[in-house]
Amino acid sequence: MTTTDTRTLALGTMSYGTRVEAPTAFALLDRYVERGGRWLDTADNYACWLSPSGRGGTSEATLGAWFRAHPGVRDQVRISTKLGADPVTPGVWPASWEGLSPTAIDRAIGHSLDRLGTDHVDLLWAHVEDRAVDLAAQVSALGALVSSGRAGRIGASNHATWRVERARTLARTAAVPSFTALQLRHTYLQPIPFAPLPDTGHVVASPEALDYAATEGLDLWSYTTLLGGAFTHPDRLQDAYRHPDTERRLATLARVAQRYGATSNQVVLAWLLDGSPRVTPIIGPSTLAQLDEAMDARDLHLDEDARAELDDGGTA
């Protein structure tokens, strides 16, 4: 199967065109490509909660404008986008998600391709689960996008592992393309089990999901990898992450970072990049300095002792 590039950081563009204005977004995109970046991650609902229209599409449209301003750059990068979570009724989100019916899928990919100014995306994600629609119908509609060339391949974002496995089984039976990647919330710190997160629809990568991805050879992408700056500003930690294991892990992280002359953010990214399964972290810098810090993490290689110390999390 096709896998993502080794030690790849995907550039998250969620707030491009809303909180991150176009000139800054263009500068970040330019620097990312200059630094050898290849994957741009967006979604058709980004960022509906920030947009005056109450609808998504601004991030994709901003990327489309950047492509038009840089002829030929589309051949240098790969696009990852998602569908299923854009509000049908402006401002009513998430209650009016577009969902994953065959009609919604076909309509959404058409709008995404128009905004992006391209005839295909390289990786298309089912953004959220839709249990109101027959799963076999979803599998067929998503697989058809790969067969038609509008999507290079497909992945499941924020899906329960059992749903992914059921979808893959249905796809094998129907002989259609199916999920080859998972996208979940994952980083070095873990929230209290079952503790509610304030972020709608997020699914945290469980040990079982990590094992599933590694065993089945699925690419794993992770978002919220740096917890909104909480590794350097612990006061930003959400309540679900405030527990004794976090304190131990932050102390371990600081020790390893000091040993390598790196930042805590860089150690977290390096830990993800060389983990099992190997992870493609999505980064969301808002400044060039933040982008450079993250991209430098690709050159940080943790030795076995450091990895073992981090994996142990300071419990020994």
Side-chain angles (χ1 to χ4, degrees):
M1 62 170 286
T2 302
T3 58
T4 50
D5 302 324
T6 301
R7 295 185 68 79
T8 295
L9 297 176
L11 181 63
T13 66
M14 182 172 67
S15 300
Y16 286 14
T18 48
R19 189 174 64 243
V20 178
E21 296 181 352
T24 300
F26 279 29
L28 289 166
L29 289 162
D30 291 345
R31 179 67 65 84
Y32 176 72
V33 173
E34 289 171 5
R35 296 291 309 267
R38 298 190 67 187
W39 277 101
L40 308 178
D41 184 76
T42 184
D44 71 347
N45 74 320
Y46 290 166
C48 64
W49 54 93
L50 296 174
S51 174
S53 71
R55 297 290 303 273
T58 308
S59 171
E60 290 180 334
T62 301
L63 291 179
W66 180 70
F67 288 135
R68 290 192 299 274
H70 297 73
V73 76
R74 174 66 181 94
D75 296 330
Q76 301 177 42
V77 298
R78 299 172 183 175
I79 300 173
S80 154
T81 195
K82 315 173 194 71
L83 52 77
D86 195 34
V88 175
T89 303
V92 182
W93 184 86
S96 69
W97 279 347
E98 63 196 346
L100 296 174
S101 70
T103 299
I105 288 171
D106 188 69
R107 180 174 59 243
I109 188 63
H111 290 327
S112 288
L113 295 178
D114 287 345
R115 287 188 290 262
L116 290 163
T118 186
D119 62 358
H120 75 284
V121 295
D122 301 279
L123 179 51
L124 177 70
W125 304 88
H127 200 166
V128 291
E129 288 187 16
D130 185 350
R131 299 194 182 185
V133 174
D134 176 65
L135 187 57
Q138 298 178 37
V139 167
S140 178
L142 290 166
L145 298 183
V146 177
S147 298
S148 69
R150 288 189 286 176
R153 57 196 183 102
I154 51 177
S157 169
N158 294 312
H159 279 54
T161 307
W162 70 267
R163 290 277 293 183
V164 176
E165 177 59 22
R166 181 171 292 181
R168 283 164 52 81
T169 298
L170 289 169
R172 285 193 294 269
T173 300
V176 299
S178 189
F179 299 136
T180 63
L182 303 179
Q183 186 173 142
L184 298 165
R185 179 170 175 146
H186 181 49
T187 185
Y188 181 60
L189 302 182
Q190 290 294 309
I192 299 169
F194 307 113
L197 293 170
D199 310 298
T200 300
H202 287 200
V203 175
V204 176
S206 65
E208 185 265 347
L210 297 176
D211 179 57
Y212 175 71
T215 302
E216 294 298 313
L218 300 177
D219 288 342
L220 178 64
W221 287 42
S222 63
Y223 62 87
T224 318
T225 51
L226 299 179
L227 293 175
F231 286 108
T232 52
H233 301 279
D235 56 298
R236 298 181 185 177
L237 277 172
Q238 296 174 338
D239 288 342
Y241 290 89
R242 296 183 180 278
H243 52 85
D245 184 63
T246 288
E247 296 176 8
R248 289 191 294 268
R249 283 180 171 265
L250 288 177
T252 301
L253 189 63
R255 288 196 303 272
V256 173
Q258 184 177 29
R259 189 183 313 154
Y260 280 88
T263 67
S264 293
N265 287 336
Q266 290 170 335
V267 174
V268 169
L269 292 173
W271 180 80
L272 290 168
L273 285 168
D274 290 333
S276 179
R278 189 182 298 274
V279 176
T280 296
I282 301 171
I283 57 172
S286 56
T287 68
L288 293 178
Q290 291 172 349
L291 175 60
D292 285 334
E293 177 193 8
M295 296 299 280
D296 286 345
R298 296 175 302 167
D299 298 322
L300 175 60
H301 296 271
L302 304 173
D303 62 29
E304 292 184 7
D305 289 342
R307 288 205 62 86
E309 187 175 355
L310 289 164
D311 290 344
D312 177 71
T315 58

